[in-house]
Amino acid sequence: MASPLDVLAREQLLKDRDAAAEVVRGGEPPHVSLLRLCDAGLLEGGLSAAYGVRPDELVGPLTTAMGGAARRFKVVDVRERPVLELHILAGDVSERWEVEDLSALVHNLNSLYRDASDVRAVAELGEWEDALQLWCVDKRILPRLLRQPFFAPRNVRALTPSKD
């Protein structure tokens, strides 16, 4: 069985294979290695969002990393009470989103762009070093990653294609 680094290198998901090899520690669970790689900035499309970052602060970097049509995503207005609410504009879609945390933002963005093949899906890898580790992954690669034991995002159900 190929190591997580071998799989990630084969899929061209690592920015620097040698640096990645230095970050990964032998004997640790493979999903922890993925968190370490994301935190170190070595995953293509990886982002670390520090505690305290608000959804309206993350939306720009996140939609840029998602690419494609998500780059044209706009926040028109932000309301803070009683729950943070974003008034968004994405193409012909104008909606108000209540986003109490970063996970809610990730969920809404993944739902909005579910059928957009040019937009990467956002995997919520988990928390590491006081930051939420997020990974924007090309949807063509996602089915292969979902079969890997080291890829265990919190939002795996949202990333799994529905069987209609």
Side-chain angles (χ1 to χ4, degrees):
M1 179 191 258
S3 75
L5 284 181
D6 292 337
V7 172
L8 295 170
R10 183 177 61 241
E11 296 289 353
Q12 300 179 339
L13 296 171
L14 291 175
K15 292 181 180 177
D16 182 333
R17 167 69 193 235
D18 294 333
E22 291 179 22
V23 168
V24 173
R25 296 189 177 144
E28 70 186 0
H31 73 279
V32 171
S33 298
L34 200 57
L35 290 168
R36 284 182 179 281
L37 291 169
C38 191
D39 182 62
L42 294 170
L43 292 178
E44 290 290 343
L47 294 169
S48 291
Y51 289 133
V53 169
R54 295 166 28 134
D56 58 317
E57 297 168 328
L58 182 63
V59 74
L62 187 54
T63 55
T64 298
M66 292 172 76
R71 289 188 177 143
R72 295 183 295 280
F73 182 93
K74 290 185 169 91
V75 175
V76 179
D77 192 21
V78 177
R79 304 290 170 131
E80 295 189 30
R81 292 194 175 102
V83 175
L84 186 68
E85 180 182 89
L86 304 179
H87 179 196
I88 65 101
L89 184 61
D92 296 339
V93 176
S94 176
E95 296 179 343
R96 294 191 184 277
W97 291 353
E98 285 189 6
V99 285
E100 61 190 41
D101 58 18
L102 300 180
S103 294
L105 175 65
V106 167
H107 171 79
N108 287 357
L109 287 169
N110 276 335
S111 293
L112 180 65
Y113 293 109
R114 178 175 315 283
D115 297 327
S117 62
D118 66 331
V119 177
R120 293 178 195 94
V122 183
E124 195 175 321
L125 299 179
E127 296 170 10
W128 188 259
E129 296 295 324
D130 294 329
L132 179 62
Q133 307 301 320
L134 303 171
W135 190 17
C136 299
V137 180
D138 188 310
K139 291 174 184 163
R140 294 170 294 184
I141 296 171
L142 198 53
R144 293 190 299 274
L145 271 180
L146 287 165
R147 290 191 295 270
Q148 297 297 325
F150 66 85
F151 186 62
R154 289 179 176 174
N155 62 337
V156 68
R157 293 180 73 197
L159 300 173
T160 306
S162 60
K163 296 173 180 145
D164 295 339

PDB file of all heavy atoms in Angstrom, residues 91-108:
ATOM      1  N   GLY A  91     -23.285  34.914  -9.018  1.00  0.00           N
ATOM      2  CA  GLY A  91     -23.979  34.815 -10.298  1.00  0.00           C
ATOM      3  C   GLY A  91     -25.388  35.348 -10.160  1.00  0.00           C
ATOM      4  O   GLY A  91     -25.590  36.483  -9.736  1.00  0.00           O
ATOM      5  N   ASP A  92     -26.389  34.522 -10.481  1.00  0.00           N
ATOM      6  CA  ASP A  92     -27.794  34.919 -10.369  1.00  0.00           C
ATOM      7  C   ASP A  92     -28.371  34.662  -8.980  1.00  0.00           C
ATOM      8  O   ASP A  92     -29.533  34.960  -8.737  1.00  0.00           O
ATOM      9  CB  ASP A  92     -28.643  34.143 -11.393  1.00  0.00           C
ATOM     10  CG  ASP A  92     -28.268  34.481 -12.823  1.00  0.00           C
ATOM     11  OD1 ASP A  92     -27.675  35.552 -13.036  1.00  0.00           O
ATOM     12  OD2 ASP A  92     -28.561  33.668 -13.717  1.00  0.00           O
ATOM     13  N   VAL A  93     -27.580  34.102  -8.092  1.00  0.00           N
ATOM     14  CA  VAL A  93     -28.050  33.728  -6.758  1.00  0.00           C
ATOM     15  C   VAL A  93     -27.769  34.859  -5.771  1.00  0.00           C
ATOM     16  O   VAL A  93     -26.638  35.306  -5.636  1.00  0.00           O
ATOM     17  CB  VAL A  93     -27.362  32.429  -6.271  1.00  0.00           C
ATOM     18  CG1 VAL A  93     -27.767  32.096  -4.847  1.00  0.00           C
ATOM     19  CG2 VAL A  93     -27.663  31.274  -7.209  1.00  0.00           C
ATOM     20  N   SER A  94     -28.810  35.290  -5.096  1.00  0.00           N
ATOM     21  CA  SER A  94     -28.697  36.271  -4.021  1.00  0.00           C
ATOM     22  C   SER A  94     -29.378  35.653  -2.803  1.00  0.00           C
ATOM     23  O   SER A  94     -30.564  35.329  -2.850  1.00  0.00           O
ATOM     24  CB  SER A  94     -29.396  37.574  -4.423  1.00  0.00           C
ATOM     25  OG  SER A  94     -29.371  38.477  -3.345  1.00  0.00           O
ATOM     26  N   GLU A  95     -28.606  35.460  -1.724  1.00  0.00           N
ATOM     27  CA  GLU A  95     -29.148  34.800  -0.535  1.00  0.00           C
ATOM     28  C   GLU A  95     -28.609  35.460   0.730  1.00  0.00           C
ATOM     29  O   GLU A  95     -27.604  36.165   0.695  1.00  0.00           O
ATOM     30  CB  GLU A  95     -28.745  33.309  -0.503  1.00  0.00           C
ATOM     31  CG  GLU A  95     -29.298  32.483  -1.616  1.00  0.00           C
ATOM     32  CD  GLU A  95     -28.858  31.020  -1.564  1.00  0.00           C
ATOM     33  OE1 GLU A  95     -27.878  30.692  -0.865  1.00  0.00           O
ATOM     34  OE2 GLU A  95     -29.515  30.208  -2.230  1.00  0.00           O
ATOM     35  N   ARG A  96     -29.283  35.163   1.818  1.00  0.00           N
ATOM     36  CA  ARG A  96     -28.799  35.557   3.149  1.00  0.00           C
ATOM     37  C   ARG A  96     -28.449  34.274   3.887  1.00  0.00           C
ATOM     38  O   ARG A  96     -29.268  33.378   3.984  1.00  0.00           O
ATOM     39  CB  ARG A  96     -29.866  36.346   3.898  1.00  0.00           C
ATOM     40  CG  ARG A  96     -30.155  37.673   3.247  1.00  0.00           C
ATOM     41  CD  ARG A  96     -31.013  38.564   4.135  1.00  0.00           C
ATOM     42  NE  ARG A  96     -31.342  39.797   3.451  1.00  0.00           N
ATOM     43  CZ  ARG A  96     -30.557  40.869   3.381  1.00  0.00           C
ATOM     44  NH1 ARG A  96     -29.388  40.840   3.975  1.00  0.00           N
ATOM     45  NH2 ARG A  96     -30.935  41.950   2.736  1.00  0.00           N
ATOM     46  N   TRP A  97     -27.224  34.216   4.351  1.00  0.00           N
ATOM     47  CA  TRP A  97     -26.742  33.038   5.064  1.00  0.00           C
ATOM     48  C   TRP A  97     -26.479  33.384   6.520  1.00  0.00           C
ATOM     49  O   TRP A  97     -25.737  34.316   6.816  1.00  0.00           O
ATOM     50  CB  TRP A  97     -25.428  32.549   4.474  1.00  0.00           C
ATOM     51  CG  TRP A  97     -25.474  31.946   3.115  1.00  0.00           C
ATOM     52  CD1 TRP A  97     -26.571  31.649   2.365  1.00  0.00           C
ATOM     53  CD2 TRP A  97     -24.333  31.573   2.337  1.00  0.00           C
ATOM     54  NE1 TRP A  97     -26.182  31.097   1.170  1.00  0.00           N
ATOM     55  CE2 TRP A  97     -24.806  31.033   1.117  1.00  0.00           C
ATOM     56  CE3 TRP A  97     -22.976  31.626   2.542  1.00  0.00           C
ATOM     57  CZ2 TRP A  97     -23.968  30.567   0.128  1.00  0.00           C
ATOM     58  CZ3 TRP A  97     -22.128  31.153   1.554  1.00  0.00           C
ATOM     59  CH2 TRP A  97     -22.624  30.624   0.356  1.00  0.00           C
ATOM     60  N   GLU A  98     -27.043  32.610   7.424  1.00  0.00           N
ATOM     61  CA  GLU A  98     -26.661  32.692   8.832  1.00  0.00           C
ATOM     62  C   GLU A  98     -25.483  31.746   9.004  1.00  0.00           C
ATOM     63  O   GLU A  98     -25.609  30.544   8.760  1.00  0.00           O
ATOM     64  CB  GLU A  98     -27.818  32.291   9.744  1.00  0.00           C
ATOM     65  CG  GLU A  98     -28.881  33.340   9.846  1.00  0.00           C
ATOM     66  CD  GLU A  98     -29.911  33.028  10.919  1.00  0.00           C
ATOM     67  OE1 GLU A  98     -29.742  32.040  11.672  1.00  0.00           O
ATOM     68  OE2 GLU A  98     -30.884  33.787  11.002  1.00  0.00           O
ATOM     69  N   VAL A  99     -24.351  32.295   9.374  1.00  0.00           N
ATOM     70  CA  VAL A  99     -23.132  31.487   9.516  1.00  0.00           C
ATOM     71  C   VAL A  99     -22.541  31.724  10.902  1.00  0.00           C
ATOM     72  O   VAL A  99     -21.840  32.694  11.133  1.00  0.00           O
ATOM     73  CB  VAL A  99     -22.103  31.790   8.407  1.00  0.00           C
ATOM     74  CG1 VAL A  99     -22.517  31.178   7.094  1.00  0.00           C
ATOM     75  CG2 VAL A  99     -21.907  33.283   8.214  1.00  0.00           C
ATOM     76  N   GLU A 100     -22.847  30.804  11.790  1.00  0.00           N
ATOM     77  CA  GLU A 100     -22.399  30.973  13.165  1.00  0.00           C
ATOM     78  C   GLU A 100     -20.925  30.636  13.340  1.00  0.00           C
ATOM     79  O   GLU A 100     -20.311  31.040  14.319  1.00  0.00           O
ATOM     80  CB  GLU A 100     -23.254  30.139  14.114  1.00  0.00           C
ATOM     81  CG  GLU A 100     -23.203  28.659  13.837  1.00  0.00           C
ATOM     82  CD  GLU A 100     -24.226  27.883  14.623  1.00  0.00           C
ATOM     83  OE1 GLU A 100     -25.360  28.355  14.747  1.00  0.00           O
ATOM     84  OE2 GLU A 100     -23.870  26.797  15.107  1.00  0.00           O
ATOM     85  N   ASP A 101     -20.341  29.897  12.387  1.00  0.00           N
ATOM     86  CA  ASP A 101     -18.931  29.550  12.494  1.00  0.00           C
ATOM     87  C   ASP A 101     -18.366  29.206  11.110  1.00  0.00           C
ATOM     88  O   ASP A 101     -19.086  29.259  10.105  1.00  0.00           O
ATOM     89  CB  ASP A 101     -18.724  28.387  13.466  1.00  0.00           C
ATOM     90  CG  ASP A 101     -19.492  27.131  13.089  1.00  0.00           C
ATOM     91  OD1 ASP A 101     -19.934  26.999  11.928  1.00  0.00           O
ATOM     92  OD2 ASP A 101     -19.656  26.263  13.964  1.00  0.00           O
ATOM     93  N   LEU A 102     -17.091  28.869  11.069  1.00  0.00           N
ATOM     94  CA  LEU A 102     -16.433  28.576   9.796  1.00  0.00           C
ATOM     95  C   LEU A 102     -16.976  27.310   9.141  1.00  0.00           C
ATOM     96  O   LEU A 102     -17.066  27.237   7.911  1.00  0.00           O
ATOM     97  CB  LEU A 102     -14.917  28.462   9.991  1.00  0.00           C
ATOM     98  CG  LEU A 102     -14.224  29.712  10.533  1.00  0.00           C
ATOM     99  CD1 LEU A 102     -12.732  29.477  10.678  1.00  0.00           C
ATOM    100  CD2 LEU A 102     -14.519  30.927   9.686  1.00  0.00           C
ATOM    101  N   SER A 103     -17.363  26.335   9.942  1.00  0.00           N
ATOM    102  CA  SER A 103     -17.937  25.104   9.385  1.00  0.00           C
ATOM    103  C   SER A 103     -19.224  25.384   8.619  1.00  0.00           C
ATOM    104  O   SER A 103     -19.482  24.791   7.574  1.00  0.00           O
ATOM    105  CB  SER A 103     -18.205  24.079  10.493  1.00  0.00           C
ATOM    106  OG  SER A 103     -16.995  23.644  11.062  1.00  0.00           O
ATOM    107  N   ALA A 104     -20.035  26.308   9.139  1.00  0.00           N
ATOM    108  CA  ALA A 104     -21.277  26.675   8.443  1.00  0.00           C
ATOM    109  C   ALA A 104     -20.962  27.354   7.110  1.00  0.00           C
ATOM    110  O   ALA A 104     -21.635  27.110   6.105  1.00  0.00           O
ATOM    111  CB  ALA A 104     -22.126  27.577   9.323  1.00  0.00           C
ATOM    112  N   LEU A 105     -19.925  28.181   7.080  1.00  0.00           N
ATOM    113  CA  LEU A 105     -19.513  28.819   5.826  1.00  0.00           C
ATOM    114  C   LEU A 105     -19.060  27.765   4.816  1.00  0.00           C
ATOM    115  O   LEU A 105     -19.468  27.792   3.655  1.00  0.00           O
ATOM    116  CB  LEU A 105     -18.392  29.830   6.075  1.00  0.00           C
ATOM    117  CG  LEU A 105     -17.804  30.475   4.823  1.00  0.00           C
ATOM    118  CD1 LEU A 105     -18.842  31.340   4.114  1.00  0.00           C
ATOM    119  CD2 LEU A 105     -16.563  31.282   5.181  1.00  0.00           C
ATOM    120  N   VAL A 106     -18.236  26.826   5.256  1.00  0.00           N
ATOM    121  CA  VAL A 106     -17.756  25.746   4.381  1.00  0.00           C
ATOM    122  C   VAL A 106     -18.945  24.960   3.834  1.00  0.00           C
ATOM    123  O   VAL A 106     -19.022  24.671   2.633  1.00  0.00           O
ATOM    124  CB  VAL A 106     -16.767  24.822   5.130  1.00  0.00           C
ATOM    125  CG1 VAL A 106     -16.506  23.536   4.357  1.00  0.00           C
ATOM    126  CG2 VAL A 106     -15.465  25.560   5.403  1.00  0.00           C
ATOM    127  N   HIS A 107     -19.872  24.621   4.704  1.00  0.00           N
ATOM    128  CA  HIS A 107     -21.063  23.872   4.286  1.00  0.00           C
ATOM    129  C   HIS A 107     -21.836  24.628   3.203  1.00  0.00           C
ATOM    130  O   HIS A 107     -22.199  24.061   2.169  1.00  0.00           O
ATOM    131  CB  HIS A 107     -21.971  23.600   5.493  1.00  0.00           C
ATOM    132  CG  HIS A 107     -23.291  23.032   5.124  1.00  0.00           C
ATOM    133  ND1 HIS A 107     -23.468  21.698   4.818  1.00  0.00           N
ATOM    134  CD2 HIS A 107     -24.502  23.628   4.970  1.00  0.00           C
ATOM    135  CE1 HIS A 107     -24.739  21.496   4.491  1.00  0.00           C
ATOM    136  NE2 HIS A 107     -25.388  22.653   4.574  1.00  0.00           N
ATOM    137  N   ASN A 108     -22.093  25.910   3.433  1.00  0.00           N
ATOM    138  CA  ASN A 108     -22.864  26.699   2.480  1.00  0.00           C
ATOM    139  C   ASN A 108     -22.141  26.845   1.143  1.00  0.00           C
ATOM    140  O   ASN A 108     -22.769  26.750   0.079  1.00  0.00           O
ATOM    141  CB  ASN A 108     -23.186  28.074   3.064  1.00  0.00           C
ATOM    142  CG  ASN A 108     -24.239  28.022   4.144  1.00  0.00           C
ATOM    143  OD1 ASN A 108     -24.799  26.975   4.442  1.00  0.00           O
ATOM    144  ND2 ASN A 108     -24.507  29.153   4.760  1.00  0.00           N
TER     145      ASN A 108
END
